[in-house]
Amino acid sequence: SNGYRSLTVKWARQKKKMASSRISGYQIQVATNKAFTKNRKTVKVKGYLNNKIKITGLKGGKTYYVRIRTYKAVSGKRYYSAWSEVKTGKTY
């Protein structure tokens, strides 16, 4: 959702029943172009129960592209899923 120099990102979280394949968290990227090369910001959210974050410190009056992926930490190494479909949001 849109905000003043910020975006609130919500997603469907992993079900509690999936304990054997439980993820460690989520990685969210926002950028001002679809290739995620301009004004990119990456945020990590720990825990599988979280499903919302407010990303602040963005420029006002811009359209931002957002994508998300999950990660799982195993023996100190992170394994990432594929990126989600890209969504857009606008700051004011």
Side-chain angles (χ1 to χ4, degrees), residues 12 26 28 30 38 43 47 50-51 53 57-58 60-61 64-65 67-68 70 74 79 84 88:
Y26 303 91
I28 299 130
V30 296
K38 294 184 179 179
V43 179
N50 298 319
N51 71 331
I53 189 168
L58 305 176
Y64 278 88
Y65 297 89
R67 64 184 179 178
I68 186 171
T70 61
V74 179
Y79 296 92
S84 71
T88 61

Side-chain angles (χ1 to χ4, degrees), residues 26-59:
Y26 303 91
Q27 185 180 42
I28 299 130
Q29 273 189 347
V30 296
T32 54
N33 66 342
K34 287 183 181 180
F36 289 86
T37 57
K38 294 184 179 179
N39 300 313
R40 181 174 62 199
K41 188 169 188 174
T42 304
V43 179
K44 184 172 66 171
V45 179
K46 292 183 179 179
Y48 73 99
L49 289 175
N50 298 319
N51 71 331
K52 182 171 112 174
I53 189 168
K54 184 174 184 178
I55 301 172
T56 58
L58 305 176
K59 295 182 179 182

